[in-house]
């Protein structure tokens, strides 16, 4: 089997534990309790031991990434990629520059989620450059390594945004399109895990078992946003 034919499932997380005061009602359902997170990791370990390929990512740079996620990952010999927001580093509820350096030094991967968590489809060109090119450079200065992976805020993109990210030479561009991702592909769809993702739903995600109708709808949406809209 060639690298071009290999696929993996990417599970994406946000906050862990109790949402802090800055988390609004629309974001709270994306926070998992510690017990829920541990259950997901245990299921991932079981799935991987059976030959399944899974990658883990985190968005937003919440401090729970360091205080909870890293510890639970290390206990199981797992690693993840953390997509951080540079504009929140001064807020103690989010990862600081020192936190990011510590995580990178402990073999966790660091990627870019932008600076201010904006919908890139609706910002000026100068702002978009600041959110991507300049933010990636500043993050590389913190980590001491090239930042070549980016996660699109809100999973919101169109043809213009995708073309711009391609021109910026990011090695991997992460979306929230769901489904399996080709390991060698530049665009990586992810599956967001929420507080209401039950055991059956998690199994469906890991196996990428969806109806033909849902698969076709997902593919049509991707084609429209990447090439037409």
């Amino acid at each position: 089997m060639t690298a071009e034919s290999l696929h993996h499932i990417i599970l994406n997380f946000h906050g862990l534990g109790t949402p802090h005061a800055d988390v609004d009602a629309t974001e709270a359902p994306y926070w998992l309790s510690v017990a829920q997170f541990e259950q997901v990791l245990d299921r991932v370990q079981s799935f991987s031991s059976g030959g399944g390929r899974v990658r883990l990512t985190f968005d937003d740079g919440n401090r729970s990434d360091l205080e909870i996620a890293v510890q639970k990952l290390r206990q199981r010999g797992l690693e993840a990629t953390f997509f951080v927001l540079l504009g929140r580093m001064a807020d103690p509820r989010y990862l600081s520059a020192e936190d990011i350096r510590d995580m990178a030094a402990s073999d966790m991967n660091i990627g870019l989620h932008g600076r201010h968590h904006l919908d890139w489809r609706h910002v000026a060109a100068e702002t978009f450059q600041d959110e991507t090119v300049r933010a990636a450079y500043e993050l590389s200065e913190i980590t001491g390594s090239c930042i070549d992976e980016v996660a699109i805020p809100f999973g919101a993109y169109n043809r213009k945004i995708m073309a711009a990210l391609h021109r910026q030479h990011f090695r991997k561009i992460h979306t929230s399109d769901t489904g399996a991702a080709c390991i060698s592909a530049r665009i990586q769809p992810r599956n967001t895990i929420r507080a209401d993702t039950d055991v059956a739903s998690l199994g469906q995600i890991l196996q990428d078992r969806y109806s033909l109708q849902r698969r076709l709808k997902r593919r049509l949406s991707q084609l429209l946003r990447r090439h037409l809209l």
Side-chain angles (χ1 to χ4, degrees):
M1 185 177 292
T2 65
E4 289 74 16
S5 64
L6 291 176
H7 287 73
H8 58 185
I9 296 295
I10 304 176
L11 303 183
N12 187 48
F13 304 89
H14 292 80
L16 302 175
T18 303
H20 53 73
D22 194 44
V23 177
D24 63 34
T26 61
E27 292 184 23
Y30 293 90
W31 281 64
L32 274 64
S33 70
V34 176
Q36 287 176 309
F37 181 59
E38 290 183 307
Q39 289 171 359
V40 173
L41 293 186
D42 291 342
R43 181 69 180 87
V44 166
Q45 279 193 306
S46 175
F47 182 71
S48 298
S49 66
R53 298 180 179 87
V54 185
R55 186 182 177 196
L56 307 176
T57 67
F58 292 76
D59 282 355
D60 299 345
N62 289 292
R63 190 162 177 80
S64 62
D65 291 354
L66 177 64
E67 295 179 341
I68 300 174
V70 170
Q71 176 192 8
K72 301 303 180 183
L73 290 166
R74 284 175 176 167
Q75 289 174 351
R76 294 164 174 80
L78 299 172
E79 64 177 37
T81 299
F82 295 85
F83 292 98
V84 302
L85 291 160
L86 270 73
R88 296 181 178 178
M89 288 193 301
D91 188 326
R93 296 169 295 188
Y94 296 91
L95 298 173
S96 67
E98 183 178 356
D99 294 334
I100 293 169
R101 279 192 290 268
D102 288 344
M103 292 168 70
S106 64
D107 296 326
M108 295 297 164
N109 304 305
I110 305 297
L112 179 69
H113 199 39
R115 190 184 298 278
H116 296 299
H117 207 252
L118 304 175
D119 186 334
W120 292 343
R121 298 172 302 176
H122 306 304
V123 300
E126 177 66 19
T127 301
F128 180 73
Q129 287 292 105
D130 181 62
E131 286 280 320
T132 53
V133 176
R134 283 192 287 275
Y137 173 77
E138 291 174 26
L139 187 54
S140 71
E141 290 286 287
I142 292 171
T143 64
S145 60
C146 176
I147 299 300
D148 60 1
E149 294 193 62
V150 62
I152 302 173
F154 310 106
Y157 67 88
N158 54 23
R159 176 170 53 91
K160 180 180 177 181
I161 294 303
M162 198 60 74
L165 293 175
H166 275 279
R167 289 195 299 271
Q168 292 171 6
H169 306 298
F170 284 106
R171 181 176 60 87
K172 297 290 184 182
I173 301 169
H174 296 259
T175 71
S176 301
D177 289 337
T178 75
C182 177
I183 292 176
S184 62
R186 194 172 188 184
I187 300 176
Q188 297 283 293
R190 301 181 297 168
N191 303 267
T192 297
I193 304 301
R194 296 165 41 108
D196 59 0
T197 302
D198 58 23
V199 174
S201 298
L202 179 59
Q204 188 177 44
I205 291 170
L206 290 172
Q207 297 288 346
D208 193 26
R209 288 200 301 253
Y210 295 101
S211 66
L212 177 60
Q213 181 181 12
R214 180 165 177 175
R215 288 174 179 272
L216 290 174
K217 184 178 179 180
R218 181 174 68 197
R219 184 57 178 158
L220 178 59
S221 174
Q222 292 172 354
L223 290 172
L224 286 173
R225 289 189 290 162
R226 295 178 191 179
H227 303 291
L228 297 177
L229 298 181

